[in-house]
Amino acid sequence: SLSDSSILAYVGNASPESSPARKVDGVRIKRQPGSLLKPFVFALLADKGTITPSTLVYDLPHAGNDYAPRNMDRNWRGEMSAAEALRQSRNITAVRQLNVLGVETFSSFMRDIGLEPGDRRHGLTLALGGKGFPDRSGMEGPRSFPAQ
């Protein structure tokens, strides 16, 4: 309802009866949220006073552990503001910022908003939606922010 932001109803699959897709519940199936979680990483850092929209971040090849994320366009843009990195949905900057924030801190936040972060093996991939969630989790997560 409008008062508590709960989901009242959703429309099921419209596939023809002969299609195997008719058995797929598009709301309950697990999906990777992709870029949906990037703003949460930046918001948590802003809340801690670690980053502002004008803070310079680096969209450069990730040098660190075995995880080597790439940007969707497979290019790097170098130095840019945090706001611009988020606006352009740069994968590498999101992973770098999650590394600053800490996977455990982000996992705790995810639990607080009703998303199960999985185990440690997901690590930095969480910034890019490396853990699948039922699709309605993605709809409910933003409810943790005030509606104003």
Side-chain angles (χ1 to χ4, degrees):
S1 72
L2 291 177
S3 62
D4 67 3
S5 302
S6 62
I7 299 168
L8 299 177
Y10 67 91
V11 177
N13 196 319
S15 296
E17 282 297 312
S18 61
S19 169
R22 76 182 187 286
K23 297 178 182 175
V24 176
D25 184 335
V27 171
R28 291 193 176 118
I29 192 170
K30 285 189 175 187
R31 299 180 188 189
Q32 289 187 327
S35 295
L36 177 72
L37 298 176
K38 290 176 189 172
F40 290 110
V41 172
F42 282 83
L44 288 165
L45 286 168
D47 193 47
K48 293 175 111 186
T50 306
I51 198 170
T52 69
S54 61
T55 299
L56 293 179
V57 296
Y58 301 93
D59 184 38
L60 299 169
H62 187 71
N65 60 16
D66 293 336
Y67 179 51
R70 289 185 277 188
N71 289 312
M72 202 62 175
D73 63 4
R74 302 204 188 273
N75 290 314
W76 299 285
R77 304 286 155 101
E79 187 177 82
M80 61 176 48
S81 71
E84 190 59 27
L86 190 53
R87 211 174 358 264
Q88 291 184 24
S89 193
R90 306 306 291 173
N91 290 342
I92 294 174
T93 58
V95 170
R96 285 177 179 271
Q97 297 316 306
L98 177 56
N99 197 37
V100 170
L101 177 65
V103 172
E104 289 303 319
T105 299
F106 192 60
S107 294
S108 177
F109 168 77
M110 289 174 66
R111 278 188 216 78
D112 289 347
I113 65 169
L115 297 175
E116 179 50 50
D119 56 38
R120 289 182 175 273
R121 69 188 159 105
H122 292 101
L124 294 174
T125 69
L126 289 175
L128 307 180
K131 164 79 169 76
F133 303 102
D135 198 38
R136 31 185 284 214
S137 295
M139 292 185 281
E140 293 172 349
R143 286 194 304 156
S144 62
F145 290 104
Q148 298 171 6

